[in-house]
Amino acid sequence: MWQRAGYEALIAMSGELKSPGGKSCWKGTVQGKGSNYGYAGSIVNYQETVNQALDAATRQLVSSQSFRDALCHCGE
């Protein structure tokens, strides 16, 4: 008999983009959520859920116009 379980993860990451000279070009926080369903206690299900949350947070960061603008102009 196998027991099924739902998995959910929420990750928040704060970061700062600095120029080579140390000037702060961007500061912000992004979040990502992940969810999964599978066998209870499965290491793979835990890993997949956390990875989904990390992927979602990363997508939010790179889709942020303010981050992209700062990335392009940080060394100026």
Side-chain angles (χ1 to χ4, degrees), residues 12-16 26 28-30:
M13 298 188 297
S14 297
E16 181 176 6
W26 178 89
T29 302
V30 294

Side-chain angles (χ1 to χ4, degrees), residues 50-76:
V50 171
N51 286 341
Q52 287 176 10
L54 285 169
D55 289 346
T58 302
R59 280 192 303 274
Q60 184 185 31
L61 176 66
V62 298
S63 67
S64 165
Q65 189 63 50
S66 64
F67 176 77
R68 289 186 289 174
D69 290 344
L71 191 60
C72 291
H73 303 289
C74 192
E76 298 175 355

Side-chain angles (χ1 to χ4, degrees), residues 2-3 5 13 15 36 41 46-47 60-61 65:
W2 292 96
Q3 184 177 355
M13 298 188 297
N36 205 352
Y46 286 115
Q47 291 170 335
Q60 184 185 31
L61 176 66
Q65 189 63 50

Side-chain angles (χ1 to χ4, degrees), residues 1-63:
M1 174 187 216
W2 292 96
Q3 184 177 355
R4 299 290 186 157
Y7 298 84
E8 293 186 16
L10 173 63
I11 291 178
M13 298 188 297
S14 297
E16 181 176 6
L17 179 65
K18 290 187 174 187
S19 71
K23 174 188 166 203
S24 179
C25 301
W26 178 89
K27 286 183 184 181
T29 302
V30 294
Q31 293 184 357
K33 292 181 181 180
S35 63
N36 205 352
Y37 182 80
Y39 294 116
S42 166
I43 292 171
V44 171
N45 285 328
Y46 286 115
Q47 291 170 335
E48 288 176 352
T49 306
V50 171
N51 286 341
Q52 287 176 10
L54 285 169
D55 289 346
T58 302
R59 280 192 303 274
Q60 184 185 31
L61 176 66
V62 298
S63 67

